[in-house]
Amino acid sequence: GQLGVRCDALAGDFADQAEALLAHVQAVLEVRPSRATLLQLLVPLAGPGQLSAGLAGLIRTAHLEHPQLLGQLIVTDDTDAADVLAARLQECARDADTAEVRYQDGVRSTRAWVALEATAPQRPWKDGGVYLLTGGTGTLARILAREIATRARGAVLVLAGRRGPDAASRQQVRELEALGAVVELHALDVTDRAAVRRLVLQVQEQHQALDGIVHAAGVLRDGLLLNKSPQALREVLAPKVSGLL
């Protein structure tokens, strides 16, 4: 019970922060800045506040839509000293094209993509594994379910989605079963904590295992950030944030 309350509070805090950040971004964009404008998001390295790093997605999207707006996520363990934080912000501002920076034990790191050289890449799926996929009838989950069924012999795929079984999802089941998977369909609202708990317990009791969860649930509310309403933002966040927690 207490864990559920904490999760609900974290989800609410994140949604509030996202709404406030959206309003700030919209205020910046409404004046149509003629030159580059830097927006820095400062987040603690540890504790519940580190979840706010997920807001970087919003400022990345803002930059894609409006290249003049530069977004920067700064994660640091120096959260108590105002003069140190000011120095961090100024240092990062001089390198405004770097989107993500981390300060840990006085060491500055930047995030970058590195090619992984591997002759035999390891995959997370195992033969006979039991996997729960939220958003199970959506496009992303369909791709991943096929990948699991192809790579892992005799895998059990529990597909959970908001919509109940229909003709399209039943066809999906037949295709996965043809690949050797055992497939189940369940109707599930991932924002309903009690329903998620019941399904997880049911899967573990029935199959004596739960080897992985793919959280692919989501709703689509396309539109430019400048025109995005707080309500639409919260509808998009609900399955992603509450569902994850």
Side-chain angles (χ1 to χ4, degrees):
Q2 291 181 346
L3 177 61
V5 170
R6 290 200 299 272
C7 285
D8 290 344
L10 286 171
D13 290 345
F14 187 89
D16 290 343
Q17 292 172 10
E19 188 174 327
L21 182 58
L22 174 65
H24 184 75
V25 168
Q26 288 174 332
V28 172
L29 296 179
E30 281 173 356
V31 301
R32 301 189 181 279
S34 58
R35 59 182 183 178
T37 300
L38 178 61
L39 174 62
Q40 293 175 306
L41 181 63
L42 188 66
V43 174
L45 180 65
Q50 66 183 296
L51 296 179
S52 301
L55 296 170
L58 194 153
I59 57 179
R60 280 197 299 269
T61 299
H63 174 66
L64 289 173
E65 294 180 4
H66 303 273
Q68 289 288 76
L69 180 61
L70 304 177
Q72 208 171 50
L73 172 68
I74 304 167
V75 181
T76 180
D77 56 3
D78 297 313
T79 55
D80 297 327
D83 57 337
V84 173
L85 293 181
R88 301 292 192 222
L89 292 170
Q90 292 175 358
E91 182 179 31
C92 290
R94 292 192 291 269
D95 185 20
D97 290 331
T98 298
E100 298 192 31
V101 181
R102 182 182 67 194
Y103 290 95
Q104 185 172 13
D105 298 327
V107 178
R108 183 179 188 269
S109 304
T110 59
R111 173 167 288 180
W113 289 99
V114 177
L116 177 64
E117 300 293 341
T119 55
Q122 293 184 337
R123 295 184 176 87
W125 328 117
K126 67 179 184 179
D127 293 347
V130 180
Y131 301 100
L132 168 63
L133 292 84
T134 69
T137 57
T139 302
L140 180 57
R142 284 201 300 270
I143 294 171
L144 288 165
R146 174 173 285 274
E147 166 72 10
I148 297 171
T150 301
R151 303 293 182 183
R153 293 190 302 273
V156 177
L157 304 178
V158 181
L159 308 181
R162 286 179 300 149
R163 298 189 303 273
D166 56 16
S169 60
R170 291 190 180 94
Q171 176 61 29
Q172 178 187 358
V173 169
R174 288 191 290 269
E175 292 173 356
L176 294 171
E177 288 177 337
L179 293 171
V182 176
V183 186
E184 300 177 7
L185 284 175
H186 293 268
L188 177 70
D189 177 359
V190 294
T191 66
D192 184 338
R193 176 162 39 87
V196 172
R197 177 175 173 78
R198 282 196 302 271
L199 179 58
V200 168
L201 292 176
Q202 178 183 334
V203 171
Q204 291 176 308
E205 181 178 356
Q206 182 175 346
H207 300 286
Q208 300 301 305
L210 180 54
D211 298 295
I213 299 174
V214 176
H215 181 41
V219 297
L220 191 63
R221 296 289 185 270
D222 275 346
L224 296 174
L225 279 180
L226 189 58
N227 303 322
K228 185 80 68 179
S229 70
Q231 177 61 29
L233 177 68
R234 288 180 178 269
E235 289 173 358
V236 171
L237 288 180
K240 292 298 184 188
V241 179
S242 297
L244 173 64
L245 289 167

